[in-house]
Amino acid sequence: MTFINDFQGIKKITRKQRGVYVLWGKNGECLYVGRGKIINRLSYHLSANINFRDLIVSITVYLGHSERETRLLEYALIHRYSPIFNKEYRWNNIVGLKYRDWGESFFIKKQRN
């Protein structure tokens, strides 16, 4: 997973690169968490709704390597930041898998000795 948090880094992203992006407001609040082809999605958010565009102060991008990885990260970030404009998602809608497909060990925190 590659992390980008500056404009120059975002300009280097190709149209085919997928990942997760976080749109931040002026008071540091998380406005939206999304995933997909980064350039296409950011173009949509920055041009489609002028009121929404005016709220965005910064953008964080995580470039992913697989669909599963980006779905998991999107899910985790939505639940961590509680974005203002995201709808409530159920686990199966985000990951597209059932709990048993991952195995219980994936969700249990490892105890340190």
Side-chain angles (χ1 to χ4, degrees):
M1 184 80 47
T2 305
F3 171 76
I4 299 171
N5 200 26
D6 67 325
F7 184 68
Q8 294 302 319
I10 290 173
K11 284 175 53 175
K12 294 177 184 175
I13 297 173
T14 66
R15 288 210 171 269
K16 292 184 178 185
Q17 285 182 295
R18 297 181 149 281
V20 178
Y21 56 94
V22 183
L23 306 177
W24 299 97
K26 66 179 178 181
N27 297 324
E29 73 276 15
C30 181
L31 300 174
Y32 187 79
V33 175
R35 70 178 165 81
K37 292 181 181 176
I38 299 296
I39 297 301
N40 294 347
R41 298 299 297 150
L42 290 179
S43 296
Y44 172 78
H45 288 302
L46 296 174
S47 66
N49 187 336
I50 293 174
N51 295 332
F52 188 62
R53 181 180 65 202
D54 294 341
L55 296 173
I56 300 168
V57 173
S58 66
I59 300 168
T60 303
V61 175
Y62 302 88
L63 296 177
H65 299 289
S66 70
E67 180 69 18
R68 181 178 278 184
E69 181 181 57
T70 57
R71 283 178 180 242
L72 281 171
L73 181 59
E74 180 190 30
Y75 173 80
L77 292 174
I78 287 171
H79 286 279
R80 179 176 182 181
Y81 295 123
S82 300
I84 296 167
F85 293 105
N86 279 89
K87 294 179 183 176
E88 186 62 37
Y89 288 105
R90 294 184 62 225
W91 172 256
N92 286 340
N93 291 344
I94 293 287
V95 179
L97 300 168
K98 298 194 184 305
Y99 176 81
R100 63 177 164 37
D101 293 339
W102 285 89
E104 188 176 324
S105 62
F106 182 82
F107 297 96
I108 297 174
K109 289 185 178 180
K110 304 263 188 225
Q111 294 183 357
R112 293 183 181 175
N113 294 331

